[in-house]
Amino acid sequence: QVQLVESGGGLVQTGGALRLSCAASGSIFGIRDMGWHRQAPGKQRELVAAITRGGDTNYADSVKGRFTISRDNAKNTVYLQMNSAKPEDTAVYYCNVATIQRAYWGQGIQVTVSS
């Protein structure tokens, strides 16, 4: 019954911006940390950004100063604002939501940055 719906991906030019959204719905309770991971072709999945229910954030060094993670607890939604996009940001981005019982993952959404 739980589903994570990701949106906002697509094609953007180098230096441009995108805003990813991930909304959790269904029988999900006790949401704690939320975050985004990404996986580029031939690469391992890596953490991009995470945010606690209290608003503390953590970013990969490669995106610090360019990306901003935020959340709306009333809407069970986490966002990733991607500014100053680079070709190396091209990847499938996966939303993840941690609850008291387990973690949930989105299907993944493609982000492509043209050079």
Side-chain angles (χ1 to χ4, degrees):
Q1 283 187 291
V2 175
Q3 64 177 161
L4 305 183
V5 179
E6 299 155 319
S7 61
L11 177 65
V12 66
Q13 295 181 334
T14 297
L18 284 176
R19 180 180 170 89
L20 304 184
S21 298
C22 174
S25 63
S27 58
I28 186 168
F29 305 96
I31 294 177
R32 306 295 289 180
D33 296 353
M34 297 182 177
W36 293 90
H37 287 69
R38 68 186 180 188
Q39 187 166 24
K43 301 286 187 177
Q44 291 184 314
R45 186 176 299 187
E46 64 174 347
L47 173 70
V48 177
I51 184 168
T52 70
R53 84 262 94 191
D56 294 327
T57 59
N58 185 33
Y59 297 94
D61 288 341
S62 60
V63 307
K64 286 181 179 178
R66 300 188 299 117
F67 292 8
T68 302
I69 188 169
S70 61
R71 61 191 287 168
D72 185 334
N73 291 334
K75 297 180 179 179
N76 287 342
T77 300
V78 61
Y79 307 93
L80 185 68
Q81 180 67 45
M82 304 169 57
N83 295 333
S84 302
K86 301 178 179 180
E88 51 262 46
D89 295 323
T90 296
V92 176
Y93 284 69
Y94 298 89
C95 172
N96 64 91
V97 177
T99 68
I100 297 173
Q101 295 182 313
R102 59 161 290 181
Y104 298 90
W105 290 87
Q107 290 289 311
I109 187 166
Q110 179 70 46
V111 171
T112 301
V113 183
S114 62
S115 60

